[in-house]
Amino acid sequence: MSRTVFCCKLHEESEGLTKPPFPGPMGQRIFEKVSQRAWSMWLSHQTMLINEYRLNLMDPKSREFLKEEMEKYFFGEGSETPTGYTPE
């Protein structure tokens, strides 16, 4: 039987992640409050941010930017798409 959570992004009871997506308090918070579906949505949004802003994930500033955007995406006002971005 899968684990369910009340997803803070989708505002519904949904299947939860099987484990925290990464170590630390933020990973645990996401594990407890974010559904699998919302996490998949974030991965797509994150990929778009990496591509549009040409982020280098070896750069600590880029990783910090993504962490801040993830915080906004799930627990804040939401992560915005880059200016001029049009989905395919």
Side-chain angles (χ1 to χ4, degrees), residues 61-79:
K61 289 180 183 176
S62 293
R63 290 194 308 267
E64 185 60 30
F65 171 76
L66 284 176
K67 184 178 176 184
E68 290 169 4
E69 289 300 306
M70 182 172 33
E71 174 80 25
K72 288 192 284 187
Y73 186 82
F74 290 120
F75 307 112
E77 68 276 2
S79 175

Side-chain angles (χ1 to χ4, degrees), residues 14-37:
S14 191
E15 182 178 350
L17 299 170
T18 57
K19 62 181 182 176
F22 47 87
M26 178 67 119
Q28 186 63 36
R29 186 174 178 200
I30 289 170
F31 177 69
E32 293 170 357
K33 299 183 179 200
V34 173
S35 69
Q36 180 66 48
R37 188 169 135 227

Side-chain angles (χ1 to χ4, degrees), residues 1-50:
M1 182 170 185
S2 64
R3 172 182 162 275
T4 61
V5 296
F6 185 81
C7 181
C8 63
K9 178 72 176 171
L10 303 176
H11 305 288
E12 65 184 23
E13 196 74 24
S14 191
E15 182 178 350
L17 299 170
T18 57
K19 62 181 182 176
F22 47 87
M26 178 67 119
Q28 186 63 36
R29 186 174 178 200
I30 289 170
F31 177 69
E32 293 170 357
K33 299 183 179 200
V34 173
S35 69
Q36 180 66 48
R37 188 169 135 227
W39 181 252
S40 293
M41 291 165 54
W42 161 251
L43 293 178
S44 294
H45 185 76
Q46 174 182 253
T47 300
M48 180 269 306
L49 292 174
I50 291 168

Side-chain angles (χ1 to χ4, degrees), residues 50-67:
I50 291 168
N51 291 335
E52 290 297 312
Y53 288 124
R54 295 174 171 70
L55 299 177
N56 174 359
L57 297 182
M58 296 300 289
D59 178 19
K61 289 180 183 176
S62 293
R63 290 194 308 267
E64 185 60 30
F65 171 76
L66 284 176
K67 184 178 176 184

